[in-house]
Amino acid sequence: MLTLLSMFYYICLRRRSRSGTRGEALTSRRAVESGQRAVLPVSVEVEQYAKEVLDFSSHYGSENSMSYTMWNLAGVPNVYPSSGDFTQTAVFRAYGTWWEQCASAPPPFRRTPKGFHSQDYIELGFEEPVYPTAVEVFETYYPGAIVQILACSHNPFSQNPPSDVRWEVLWSGEPTKVLTPQARQFSPKIKHISFPTNLLRLEVNSSLLDYYTELDAVILRGVKERPMLALYKMPIIDISDLSDSEEELSDVGGPYRQGGDGKQQRTGNGYFDKLPYELIQLILSHLTLPDLCRLAQSCKLLHQHCCDPLQYTQLSLQPYWARLSDASLGHLQSRCTLLQRLNLSWTGNRGALTLTGFSSFMKACGLSLVCLEMSCCHFLNEACLEVISQTCPGLQELNLSSCDRLHPQAFTHISKLTRLRRLVLYRTKIEQTAILSILTFCIELRHLNLGSCVRIEDYDVVASMLAARCRSLCSVDLWRCRNLTDRGLAELVSGCRMLEELDLGWCPTLQSSSGCFQHLARSLPRLRKLFLTANRTVCDSDVEELASSCPSLQHLDILGTRLVSAASLKKLLQSCPRLLLLDVSFCSQIDMRVVQELSGLFPNVAIKKSFTQ
């Protein structure tokens, strides 16, 4: 079949080449015969920087400024070729493995494909759709985080609604740790695609990096005229090919017997008949979801095993976000009746999932659900959250991180999930009325993330409610809450003495002179993680109180303080033997000589000190 297709394609090329030169025709013929892509004719290459940042999963910066935000990735470079920590770059929220080691981090999902490394993403729109020939990323600090570059067939600036949205991987690789944090221009060899694009997506994994990666700009190079691509392409079976029909399924292996019509018929399944049902289930539990779906189409016996609901108690669809649709959920629905943990993060955008498809799946599969991950799911609306509250009575974990298009009113439905123990609302538009309602009814909360929730008017009131209603709280993230005062913090730590993690990074209204940080240390003896990022008032007495009162401390971020000396840090390192991470970047009294000296004395502690040049 491949030979016939190649011959047919060659004849078409011969006909098209009559208006060209003999050299072009010979080049095309050689390309077909060698399985390579042929380009007829060569077009002028267009170079363009990103016009607009369309979507992203997280950023270090604030929602109300440009410093360290993803919006810095639009336009020409601001920093390159300089290296170092600059506020004009795009920075993701996390790096390294520190966040995965925290008590607030959920356990990983089983069956995650080994080739799926992505932890964060950003989508960029460009002015003109082109057939990509190159993508260049300006990395200005700790490069190596990019693991995948994708192109989309949809024009984000078109007035027409998207239809048949396709994503193609231009390049993919594994996380890397570059030997130097210096700036570089990353331009991997990309795959040619069959459609023009002005929408790129970069996916990153910063787990191997020693500090935050910083990106400055992205160039898309391409041609406007369509290259002549190889005609034949191997079919891909994905999670949408999930037919449960048994008409075409056969038995495998085993002996034959003579049928009434004289034809031989299979009587068994060979050695599979000798294996216990549980053992076959265990073997199949190591397959990824697409492999499980493919195997289900091979024979009746394996179809039965592959469709057993016990294979689907955990289901992560995040790695397949680009292909997931209502039809995919519909095919999986009958298999997920015992589903307990579901990851739909990044899925459903640009019309791929609808309220109808999502509601149907949740009504069939939500009864046993205890964990639901839905970060960056922009198809969600108030009706979807209402469905979740009605169909998932036992839900304990809900992640709506960066669902920044949800209307504030939608969050009131979360208060009906009274068994919640972990709630992530990072970068959402939740308002004070809704969060207070949630805290009133969800008194079993253990982990709460309100980072960058800029619409909450008075965090002191929220802190007071937490202290009164959620006394078993283990972690709370108040990153960049701009109106928490020493009074609210005092109530919080006095009422929630089980706290192990507390993120107060970029909370400018907290002042060390009030004694709030020393009171915090004395009130929380179980503290393992404390972020006081960019609080200029943290001083030696605060660090020394932490050393005396919090022996279990593992992560401490005091970036930006001007009042902490090397002596207090040394006392902290001596008193907290479990300390793993200490960030003293931009601490004016702590220079690289001090960092090197302390690192030599305490080699098990990662002491971070960023630089600019």
Side-chain angles (χ1 to χ4, degrees):
M1 176 60 72
L2 178 58
T3 303
L4 290 175
L5 288 171
S6 299
M7 290 178 63
F8 174 73
Y9 187 37
Y10 171 58
I11 292 171
C12 294
L13 286 177
R14 285 293 300 271
R15 290 178 177 175
R16 292 191 58 170
S17 66
R18 288 173 184 169
S19 60
T21 65
R22 184 172 184 272
E24 289 174 336
L26 289 175
T27 301
S28 300
R29 177 182 177 182
R30 293 192 190 104
V32 172
E33 291 174 347
S34 62
Q36 298 176 350
R37 302 177 185 270
V39 181
L40 285 177
V42 176
S43 176
V44 177
E45 190 176 62
V46 176
E47 175 186 300
Q48 51 187 329
Y49 290 94
K51 175 183 177 181
E52 184 179 334
V53 174
L54 302 171
D55 189 23
F56 55 90
S57 55
S58 76
H59 61 181
Y60 186 90
S62 167
E63 302 303 295
N64 300 321
S65 75
M66 291 295 292
S67 297
Y68 296 122
T69 64
M70 288 295 123
W71 298 302
N72 285 320
L73 211 50
V76 299
N78 298 308
V79 172
Y80 188 86
S82 299
S83 301
D85 190 341
F86 290 91
T87 61
Q88 301 97 323
T89 57
V91 185
F92 290 98
R93 177 69 183 88
Y95 74 94
T97 58
W98 320 110
W99 282 260
E100 299 171 359
Q101 299 169 359
C102 294
S104 57
F109 277 77
R110 297 197 300 263
R111 280 204 170 96
T112 301
K114 292 182 179 179
F116 181 74
H117 306 291
S118 305
Q119 296 176 334
D120 274 299
Y121 74 85
I122 181 170
E123 293 180 1
L124 302 167
F126 296 79
E127 183 68 37
E128 298 184 59
V130 294
Y131 294 91
T133 56
V135 176
E136 300 174 13
V137 184
F138 295 87
E139 301 174 279
T140 55
Y141 202 38
Y142 284 93
I146 298 173
V147 293
Q148 194 156 243
I149 303 174
L150 302 98
C152 184
S153 62
H154 172 61
N155 184 341
F157 306 117
S158 172
Q159 299 299 319
N160 300 321
S163 60
D164 190 27
V165 176
R166 292 173 54 199
W167 286 91
E168 286 283 347
V169 176
L170 299 179
W171 173 86
S172 64
E174 296 185 356
T176 57
K177 183 176 181 178
V178 180
L179 296 179
T180 172
Q182 303 296 324
R184 74 171 185 178
Q185 193 169 339
F186 180 59
S187 183
K189 185 178 180 180
I190 65 172
K191 181 182 76 173
H192 294 289
I193 57 176
S194 60
F195 56 82
T197 184
N198 61 339
L199 171 52
L200 294 184
R201 176 177 170 123
L202 308 183
E203 295 185 352
V204 304
N205 181 316
S206 303
S207 62
L208 298 183
L209 302 187
D210 291 329
Y211 207 61
Y212 297 96
T213 189
E214 299 191 9
L215 309 179
D216 192 20
V218 177
I219 292 178
L220 170 61
R221 301 183 190 274
V223 294
K224 294 184 179 180
E225 297 182 21
R226 179 176 182 176
M228 187 65 68
L229 304 178
L231 178 65
Y232 184 78
K233 184 178 181 181
M234 289 296 293
I236 298 175
I237 301 176
D238 62 25
I239 57 174
S240 295
D241 302 323
L242 305 178
S243 173
D244 286 333
S245 172
E246 299 186 7
E247 295 178 1
E248 298 181 1
L249 299 178
S250 62
D251 298 311
V252 297
Y256 291 87
R257 67 176 174 83
Q258 197 75 16
D261 55 0
K263 296 181 179 180
Q264 288 185 329
Q265 298 178 354
R266 297 185 189 273
T267 60
N269 296 301
Y271 292 109
F272 276 98
D273 282 335
K274 299 181 180 181
L275 294 178
Y277 189 92
E278 294 80 5
L279 181 56
I280 298 177
Q281 287 286 290
L282 178 62
I283 294 171
L284 298 187
S285 68
H286 294 279
L287 296 179
T288 63
L289 180 60
D291 290 338
L292 200 64
C293 296
R294 294 184 184 103
L295 191 61
Q297 301 178 34
S298 61
C299 70
K300 292 180 179 179
L301 174 68
L302 293 178
H303 180 273
Q304 177 186 0
H305 280 281
C306 292
C307 294
D308 192 319
L310 289 175
Q311 289 287 346
Y312 301 87
T313 56
Q314 292 192 31
L315 184 62
S316 178
L317 297 175
Q318 182 180 6
Y320 318 108
W321 63 266
R323 292 178 280 167
L324 195 72
S325 65
D326 282 349
S328 306
L329 291 183
H331 288 308
L332 288 167
Q333 189 167 298
S334 62
R335 310 179 187 191
C336 297
T337 53
L338 301 179
L339 187 61
Q340 297 177 10
R341 301 185 70 223
L342 174 63
N343 185 1
L344 286 174
S345 295
W346 303 2
T347 64
N349 299 335
R350 295 185 175 87
L353 289 181
T354 66
L355 172 62
T356 301
F358 176 74
S359 299
S360 175
F361 184 82
M362 295 304 296
K363 289 174 181 177
C365 310
L367 185 61
S368 302
L369 210 59
V370 296
C371 174
L372 182 57
E373 301 281 335
M374 301 199 72
S375 66
C376 306
C377 289
H378 300 311
F379 73 91
L380 287 177
N381 55 25
E382 182 175 355
C384 291
L385 289 195
E386 185 176 12
V387 167
I388 293 172
S389 69
Q390 293 172 346
T391 59
C392 307
L395 197 64
Q396 297 179 13
E397 300 180 41
L398 178 61
N399 182 359
L400 298 175
S401 171
S402 289
C403 291
D404 54 346
R405 301 172 197 178
L406 267 172
H407 191 274
Q409 181 65 29
F411 296 97
T412 57
H413 295 285
I414 297 176
S415 62
K416 303 170 188 175
L417 300 169
T418 56
R419 298 185 184 180
L420 275 181
R421 300 170 67 90
R422 173 175 162 263
L423 178 60
V424 181
L425 298 173
Y426 167 73
R427 286 193 66 239
T428 62
K429 294 178 180 177
I430 189 168
E431 295 179 346
Q432 186 149 321
T433 302
I435 187 60
L436 293 179
S437 176
I438 292 170
L439 298 180
T440 300
F441 294 100
C442 301
I443 60 175
E444 297 182 23
L445 274 176
R446 300 291 185 273
H447 306 286
L448 177 63
N449 188 332
L450 295 176
S452 291
C453 292
V454 297
R455 295 205 175 192
I456 296 177
E457 299 172 356
D458 191 341
Y459 271 94
D460 282 352
V461 176
V462 174
S464 179
M465 181 66 80
L466 281 169
R469 303 290 295 175
C470 304
R471 291 184 170 271
S472 298
L473 205 63
C474 294
S475 73
V476 60
D477 189 330
L478 300 176
W479 174 264
R480 291 191 180 274
C481 72
R482 303 196 64 84
N483 51 39
L484 179 70
T485 68
D486 56 305
R487 181 180 61 83
L489 180 59
E491 284 196 62
L492 176 66
V493 299
S494 297
C496 302
R497 293 184 175 270
M498 304 292 287
L499 274 174
E500 298 179 12
E501 301 174 28
L502 182 56
D503 194 331
L504 300 172
W506 296 87
C507 296
T509 49
L510 294 174
Q511 298 293 315
S512 173
S513 58
S514 68
C516 61
F517 298 138
Q518 295 180 51
H519 176 60
L520 179 158
R522 289 191 292 268
S523 301
L524 304 177
R526 301 162 61 99
L527 197 62
R528 294 166 55 188
K529 170 187 170 182
L530 177 61
F531 276 28
L532 300 175
T533 317
N535 192 302
R536 316 297 183 192
T537 69
V538 175
C539 60
D540 280 342
S541 56
D542 300 322
V543 174
E544 290 170 2
E545 189 62 54
L546 286 170
S548 301
S549 305
C550 304
S552 299
L553 196 63
Q554 296 179 358
H555 305 150
L556 177 63
D557 186 341
I558 53 172
L559 175 150
T561 181
R562 304 182 179 93
L563 306 175
V564 171
S565 66
S568 64
L569 289 183
K570 188 173 181 180
K571 181 177 180 180
L572 176 79
L573 291 164
Q574 291 171 335
S575 303
C576 301
R578 300 180 186 178
L579 199 64
L580 300 172
L581 172 67
L582 175 61
D583 195 333
V584 292
S585 299
F586 301 106
C587 293
S588 56
Q589 293 192 42
I590 311 299
D591 56 24
M592 287 305 299
R593 180 188 59 80
V594 172
V595 170
Q596 292 170 358
E597 178 184 342
L598 293 176
S599 296
L601 293 173
F602 304 94
N604 295 328
V605 183
I607 303 177
K608 305 299 181 181
K609 178 75 173 178
S610 64
F611 69 89
T612 57
Q613 69 177 42

